[in-house]
Amino acid sequence: MVCVIFNTGANLGPKKMFEILTHDILPVFSVMVLGFVMGRRKFVSHAEAATLNRIAFLILQPALIFPLVNSVDLSEFYFDAIALYAIGQAIVFVLALAVGVFILKCELTEAWLLAMATVFVNSLLYIWPISSLIYGNDGNLPITAIVVWDATFTFAFFIITTDLLVNKGQSAIQSLARLLKNPVLIAIFLGLCTNVFGIIAPEPILVASKFAGAGAAPLTLFALGVILSGHQMFPTKKMTVIALIKLCLLPIVVALLLQLGNRPLIWNELLLLNAAGPSGAMAFALAMLYKVRTDTIAPVIIWTSILTLVLLAWLA
């Protein structure tokens, strides 16, 4: 159903699809596979992967997010498309959260992050690098727009709410003080403020940020692969339900919503491409950071990554 709504990729021949799969998608996916192999061979331990994940989350991701948000031209965005995508995320998140709490009987924080995994696509660390390789920076604006949306508002929402859920016994002042020191939230805030006021960061800061930020995606994916190597990969009921919501419901809801309004077709096509992507590694990163169980979140990410390999090549 989703694939025929915009006819995305319908004109791609098997040769072109295979080239996109082998040249653009699999090289990114291979970093996660490398981590999985290194973990299975005990070359990298769970504790070391947790440290890598913490470094990527608190140091490298802010460096990746800041220059992206600081320098992007917001005037070129079709905000109606972003709003429709966001509405689709909200609808699917509420449904997934209800399923997690009332049907799968998950603890609230786990259910919260599982629901996040159904709507927070791995756009920054997976779809964006892939689409940049395919379309170049100039043709990749719709994905950049969703990356900015997810990296600022959506990600900030889940950082704040997860922190409050995990530390719900603490006072509002303690929670606020802790959140104000979060490097990711600081990078998001500074990026938005400087963008709105037309302040372009000095070139040395942008160079340093881009240099450090380039390691965020491979390091997070590698750490995820290591952690996954210690989990049972056979699909469980909980994992299957969450993966199906991500793989089927989010693309369908987004595709239907994008029928509203008029905009360049490439925006509909690339937003659908993003919605069809795998679950974001950020749900896993938050679970690791806040010590929430990862035995379902991690396999959901790996299975959705595997199952979307050919679909992404077709849609791209």
Side-chain angles (χ1 to χ4, degrees):
M1 178 179 179
V2 176
C3 297
V4 300
I5 289 179
F6 296 131
N7 201 34
T8 308
N11 295 322
L12 288 179
K15 183 177 180 180
K16 182 62 176 177
M17 286 176 55
F18 182 75
E19 181 180 331
I20 290 174
L21 179 64
T22 56
H23 287 63
D24 301 313
I25 297 177
L26 287 179
V28 176
F29 180 74
S30 66
V31 178
M32 193 188 308
V33 176
L34 177 63
F36 186 88
V37 173
M38 293 294 99
R40 277 289 169 91
R41 295 180 65 86
K42 309 299 182 183
F43 189 81
V44 181
S45 69
H46 183 286
E48 289 170 331
T51 300
L52 291 176
N53 178 76
R54 184 175 178 82
I55 292 171
F57 185 87
L58 295 177
I59 299 175
L60 302 186
Q61 285 192 54
L64 177 64
I65 291 171
F66 173 74
L68 173 68
V69 179
N70 169 257
S71 60
V72 71
D73 187 355
L74 298 176
S75 65
E76 295 185 3
F77 286 4
Y78 281 81
F79 286 98
D80 63 323
I82 300 172
L84 291 171
Y85 187 94
I87 291 171
Q89 285 180 306
I91 292 171
V92 175
F93 174 78
V94 171
L95 291 173
L97 181 62
V99 168
V101 172
F102 298 110
I103 297 178
L104 300 178
K105 304 299 181 182
C106 299
E107 187 271 330
L108 180 58
T109 307
E110 184 192 11
W112 192 265
L113 291 178
L114 285 174
M116 175 188 176
T118 66
V119 300
F120 195 91
V121 178
N122 209 349
S123 53
L124 178 62
L125 304 179
Y126 193 79
I127 300 296
W128 189 51
I130 290 170
S131 58
S132 293
L133 289 171
I134 298 172
Y135 297 100
N137 291 331
D138 294 336
N140 199 32
L141 186 61
I143 298 295
T144 301
I146 289 300
V147 167
V148 170
W149 163 255
D150 272 345
T152 54
F153 296 98
T154 312
F155 196 24
F157 169 78
F158 282 113
I159 291 175
I160 293 169
T161 53
T162 303
D163 188 278
L164 294 176
L165 283 173
V166 172
N167 300 287
K168 53 189 173 184
Q170 297 186 1
S171 68
I173 294 177
Q174 288 176 311
S175 297
L176 180 61
R178 186 177 56 257
L179 289 169
L180 288 176
K181 294 186 291 185
N182 187 296
V184 180
L185 295 179
I186 292 172
I188 291 170
F189 177 76
L190 290 177
L192 285 174
C193 287
T194 53
N195 189 304
V196 169
F197 290 105
I199 302 172
I200 301 300
E203 189 64 23
I205 293 178
L206 292 177
V207 171
S209 296
K210 291 177 181 178
F211 178 75
L219 202 61
T220 301
L221 292 173
F222 181 83
L224 174 59
V226 175
I227 301 299
L228 284 171
S229 68
H231 284 300
Q232 171 60 256
M233 295 304 298
F234 188 80
T236 63
K237 174 186 175 183
K238 190 190 299 186
M239 191 226 81
T240 301
V241 170
I242 297 300
L244 284 175
I245 292 175
K246 167 63 208 71
L247 293 173
C248 300
L249 189 58
L250 182 65
I252 289 174
V253 171
V254 168
L256 292 175
L257 287 171
L258 287 174
Q259 299 303 294
L260 303 174
N262 295 305
R263 65 195 65 87
L265 184 61
I266 188 65
W267 276 78
N268 288 354
E269 293 177 341
L270 289 187
L271 293 194
L272 177 57
L273 171 70
N274 193 80
S279 295
M282 293 304 96
F284 162 79
L286 283 175
M288 289 287 293
L289 189 67
Y290 289 103
K291 296 179 172 56
V292 179
R293 60 186 298 178
T294 60
D295 56 329
T296 298
I297 294 175
V300 163
I301 294 171
I302 190 67
W303 276 110
T304 55
S305 298
I306 293 172
L307 294 173
T308 56
L309 287 174
V310 176
L311 176 61
L312 290 177
W314 186 83
L315 289 173

